Amino acid sequence: MKGYGKRIDQGADLHPSQWVARTEARLSASGLESRGLERLSDLTDFRFRKVLMPYFSLVRGAKLRVLKSDADRPMLAMLKTKQQEYVDAEWARVGVGCALRGGKYEGYKLRFLSHTAVNNRIGQALLRLEQRMDAEFVRDRPDGVQE
C-alpha cells in the first residue's frame, strides 16, 4: 500500500481546493485468490466496501482513557491533561505511529478517534466502485473479457 497527497494531475499543478489524498493498494496473486478473485468476472460480485473498508479506517488522533473515578482525583486529572498535551504533540509530529508498537506512547491506554468524514468518503468511493463493476463491465461475457 502507499498513500500520498495528489497535487498534480496530468503534469499540471492543481489548485489547493482540488488537492486530494490518494491511497493505492496492490494484492499479490495469493491475496486475490484468498478473496475469491480469480477471474476478471469475479469483480462484478466483489463487495469492495465490506471487504476492504477495515484496511482503510483512518484515525485523527488518540486520547488517553479517562476513568469515572479520575474526576474525584484532581491531581490525577491534571496529570492526564498534561500527558494528553504530550500525546497530541507527538501525534502532530509522527502520526499514528506514536501509539503503536515501537512508538513513544506504546503501552499507554489510548483510544483512537475515528476520522469519520474521511472514512465516509472512502466508504462511498468503495461503494461507487462496486456499483461500477456491477453495471455492465463484465456481466454479459461468460469468459469475463471486457469488450
Side-chain angles (χ1 to χ4, degrees):
M1 287 188 69
K2 74 176 183 176
Y4 57 92
K6 184 172 180 177
R7 297 178 180 186
I8 297 173
D9 189 30
Q10 303 286 328
D13 289 336
L14 293 172
H15 185 272
S17 66
Q18 296 175 307
W19 291 354
V20 294
R22 295 287 306 258
T23 303
E24 297 176 5
R26 183 174 53 171
L27 291 174
S28 64
S30 62
L32 292 167
E33 289 171 7
S34 71
R35 287 165 179 81
L37 297 172
E38 296 175 8
R39 291 174 296 285
L40 189 59
S41 61
D42 294 334
L43 290 173
T44 60
D45 297 320
F46 188 71
R47 297 298 149 228
F48 288 89
R49 184 176 184 163
K50 181 179 180 181
V51 175
L52 300 179
M53 195 61 204
Y55 300 103
F56 293 103
S57 294
L58 300 174
V59 292
R60 60 181 168 82
K63 293 290 178 197
L64 286 164
R65 293 191 183 270
V66 178
L67 305 175
K68 291 178 184 177
S69 61
D70 292 350
D72 300 334
R73 301 161 72 187
M75 227 20 202
L76 183 59
M78 186 173 69
L79 175 63
K80 283 196 173 183
T81 300
K82 191 62 176 173
Q83 285 178 323
Q84 185 64 54
E85 289 176 21
Y86 290 130
V87 170
D88 292 343
E90 188 69 3
W91 185 279
R93 190 178 77 77
V94 177
V96 72
C98 74
L100 301 177
R101 188 164 38 124
K104 189 172 184 176
Y105 293 99
E106 169 191 5
Y108 277 62
K109 290 185 166 108
L110 297 170
R111 65 180 179 85
F112 292 115
L113 305 173
S114 177
H115 201 308
T116 306
V118 173
N119 289 331
N120 286 344
R121 289 267 324 254
I122 294 169
Q124 291 165 2
L126 291 170
L127 188 57
R128 282 192 305 273
L129 182 58
E130 271 182 43
Q131 292 166 344
R132 279 188 12 214
M133 291 296 176
D134 206 21
E136 292 176 35
F137 184 51
V138 183
R139 182 86 60 207
D140 297 334
R141 296 288 306 263
D143 58 0
V145 177
Q146 181 184 8
E147 288 183 3

